[in-house]
Amino acid sequence: MPQAILTAAQTLSRQVPNPKLQIPNKGPNPNPKMENDAKPRDLEDRTFEFAQSVRAFVKQLPRTVSNTEDVRQLVRASGSVAANWIEADEALSKKDFLMRVKICRKESKESRLFLRLVDAGLSKNNLSARETLASEARELTLIFSSIISKSG
């Protein structure tokens, strides 16, 4: 196949990047899941994976009275991060976009709080998973803060 046709076909197959979806200072990535298990650059995928990972994590936790309440809040907050990012991406105005991103930031902070509160038990795997998820919640908070500061 001639090079010009291959280049045109590749260009047509790529998605047009939405600047609101890109993490600051990083270019678009047609494959959101990167090599070597790196984090996806598309925030819709990243927030979805965060919510999904939280759900997998809570299935491993000991069933205590406090965990029941904390897990309920954690699951809601983590899902809200993803849902509000989708809403922000479809915002009708800049004001609406900023409000949704601020909600994303608030919910990611809340997710981190409940991750710190849940009793992970004595399992080293649970403790490690909790720290990884808390770190991801912190990174998401920083990303949303950066988006807010650059959009305001």
Side-chain angles (χ1 to χ4, degrees):
M1 183 180 290
Q3 185 65 27
I5 295 173
L6 180 61
T7 305
Q10 289 173 339
T11 303
L12 289 174
S13 69
R14 289 189 188 151
Q15 217 178 11
V16 176
N18 182 340
K20 292 187 271 184
L21 292 177
Q22 295 176 22
I23 297 173
N25 299 326
K26 295 190 178 181
N29 183 5
N31 182 6
K33 192 68 176 171
M34 297 171 13
E35 298 283 326
N36 300 326
D37 207 30
K39 295 176 183 150
R41 291 185 180 181
D42 182 339
L43 275 176
E44 186 172 335
D45 290 336
R46 188 166 175 175
T47 56
F48 173 80
E49 286 179 17
F50 174 67
Q52 198 172 41
S53 297
V54 164
R55 281 151 180 75
F57 168 70
V58 300
K59 290 177 183 176
Q60 308 303 316
L61 294 176
R63 305 219 187 275
T64 65
V65 173
S66 62
N67 267 2
T68 300
E69 293 304 315
D70 292 341
V71 161
R72 185 173 286 136
Q73 289 288 89
L74 172 58
V75 168
R76 286 182 180 153
S78 66
S80 184
V81 173
N84 278 290
W85 178 255
I86 291 169
E87 290 290 324
D89 190 42
E90 298 295 325
L92 299 174
S93 67
K94 185 174 181 178
K95 184 177 177 182
D96 186 30
F97 173 76
L98 282 171
M99 179 56 69
R100 295 295 178 179
V101 175
K102 287 178 182 179
I103 293 170
C104 289
R105 181 178 62 182
K106 178 182 81 82
E107 295 292 344
S108 61
K109 285 181 182 180
E110 189 175 316
S111 295
R112 185 167 179 246
L113 168 72
F114 285 108
L115 280 163
R116 293 170 57 205
L117 285 174
V118 293
D119 174 15
L122 301 175
S123 167
K124 288 184 180 182
N125 288 340
N126 284 355
L127 294 171
S128 175
R130 179 176 68 181
E131 290 307 311
T132 301
L133 288 169
S135 175
E136 178 66 359
R138 176 74 178 136
E139 286 181 27
L140 288 169
T141 301
L142 292 173
I143 290 167
F144 295 130
S145 293
S146 177
I147 291 169
I148 291 164
S149 69
K150 290 179 181 181
S151 297

